[in-house]
Amino acid sequence: MTAAGHLLAAGIGAQGPILFSRFMEVALYHPEHGYYRRARREQGADPFGMHGDFYTATQLQPVFGRLIAAQCAHWQQQLGAGEAFHVVEWGAGRGEMAEHLSSFRYSAVDVDGGEVPAAFEGVIFCNELFDALPVEAVRVCRREARMMRVGLSDGRFVWVEGEPLTGPWLPYAVNLCARIAEIREEEEVWLELPVGLESLLARMTRPLTRGFVLAIDYGYTEREIIRFPRGTLMAYRRHQALDDVLLNPGEQDITAHVPFTHLEHCAQALGLLTTPLRSLTQLLMSAGEADQFAGALAAPDDAAALRLRMQLKSLLFGLGETFRCLVMEKRSG
Ligand SMILES: C[S@@+](CC[C@H](N)C(=O)[O-])C[C@H]1O[C@@H](n2cnc3c(N)ncnc32)[C@H](O)[C@@H]1O
């Protein structure tokens, strides 16, 4: 069993089956044994890139960084913010955007810390942050929604049916289920509850006096939930997507697709304006169109130019079609 697994097993031994959000929190973020925390310390535990478990758009540098910088510069001009303009990246991972956003005042934040200005105008940027937040798992069977907990059986983590879902998340689950049931006669439906999303968005946007939040992630709108009757929890290890999210805690990534309609509602509840969801391709096309991608593709020689064109192609026709961008705006006053 993994080190995080031993901790989780001890907790289950003491208290009985635990909520999935607790399992995910320890598996990903335990200060010593969590998947993202180990990555900072242990050789060979880096989750990103070819030798890790998955790629993100952030690894497609310099093209991704240059296009996001061009988008930020556009917003800087729109705000007329001059030098006071600050870009804060949340969930910065390996910090690969730093070089490309260094023409602005730039701060990187991740679970281990990072400085956020007490008050700033500018942009909050996050790429694949919200899909990495702990969620609750719920199973709905014959119209009854129950929390799914994690227990232990023969030394393996297993799903255990928990208490009926009550409280403010019940209408959320009922609404999503109704959308699935309208079209499908599924025996049972699995859903995730994004329990930490609103409080994180509130924390992120509190110091922003004026400006934009750009969230890039994969996910679904309320109408698209029909595509996910078994939920969206997924684990990643060595570039393979795995269904068993309870296996090897601390040694594989665990994600849940981002519920974009809920993210929009959270933003609106916090007083932010939202613009319609766009694909990452659409955002990058508009960021690059002013100079026909000349800045993004600037290269010292032909070999480098070819590499950058391949990166742009991967971004626009690969990742860009899967990933969505939600832009949220905070206006002053
Ligand atoms: C899937 S990785 C993406 C990293 C990077 N943005 C990229 O595109 O490669 C998610 C990152 O979000 C960070 N993260 C998760 N929860 C966070 C939180 N509450 N505050 C700051 N960072 C967080 C994780 O530690 C991890 O580095």
Side-chain angles (χ1 to χ4, degrees), residues 56-58 64 68 72 75 87-93 97 101 106-107 109-110 123-131 133 200-201 204-205 212-218 258 260 263 280 283 323-328:
T56 66
T58 303
F64 183 65
I68 295 299
C72 290
W75 279 326
V87 179
V88 177
E89 182 180 8
W90 273 81
M97 294 298 285
L101 297 173
Y106 168 77
S107 311
V109 185
D110 208 289
V123 173
I124 297 171
F125 169 69
C126 48
N127 187 60
E128 293 203 49
L129 164 67
F130 293 123
D131 69 63
L133 299 186
L200 178 60
L201 186 65
M204 289 163 66
T205 54
F212 298 89
V213 182
L214 169 57
I216 302 176
D217 230 308
Y218 47 86
V258 173
F260 277 111
L263 180 56
L280 177 59
L283 180 104
F323 281 73
R324 314 287 242 323
C325 303
L326 182 64
V327 175
M328 300 160 257

Side-chain angles (χ1 to χ4, degrees), residues 97-176:
M97 294 298 285
E99 180 189 343
H100 308 286
L101 297 173
S102 64
S103 56
F104 309 103
R105 289 164 193 244
Y106 168 77
S107 311
V109 185
D110 208 289
V111 280
D112 289 326
E115 287 284 303
V116 180
F120 69 99
E121 50 186 37
V123 173
I124 297 171
F125 169 69
C126 48
N127 187 60
E128 293 203 49
L129 164 67
F130 293 123
D131 69 63
L133 299 186
V135 293
E136 296 300 359
V138 169
R139 185 167 68 182
V140 186
C141 202
R142 294 186 187 81
R143 299 190 179 275
E144 190 188 35
R146 282 184 174 267
M147 302 297 287
M148 293 307 290
R149 289 178 169 258
V150 181
L152 203 57
S153 172
D154 294 332
R156 287 176 67 90
F157 294 104
V158 291
W159 290 107
V160 176
E161 193 170 79
E163 64 278 28
L165 174 64
T166 54
W169 286 103
L170 183 59
Y172 176 88
V174 167
N175 173 36
L176 289 188

Side-chain angles (χ1 to χ4, degrees), residues 3 7 11 26 30 32 62 85 116 120 123 161 166 226 243 251 253 266 276 278 281 287-288 292 302 312 324 328 331:
L7 287 173
V26 172
H30 181 274
E32 244 183 285
F85 185 87
V116 180
F120 69 99
V123 173
E161 193 170 79
T166 54
I226 182 78
D243 288 333
E251 293 187 358
D253 192 20
C266 293
R278 277 188 292 172
T281 301
Q292 303 292 311
D302 287 351
L312 183 62
R324 314 287 242 323
M328 300 160 257
R331 294 202 176 149

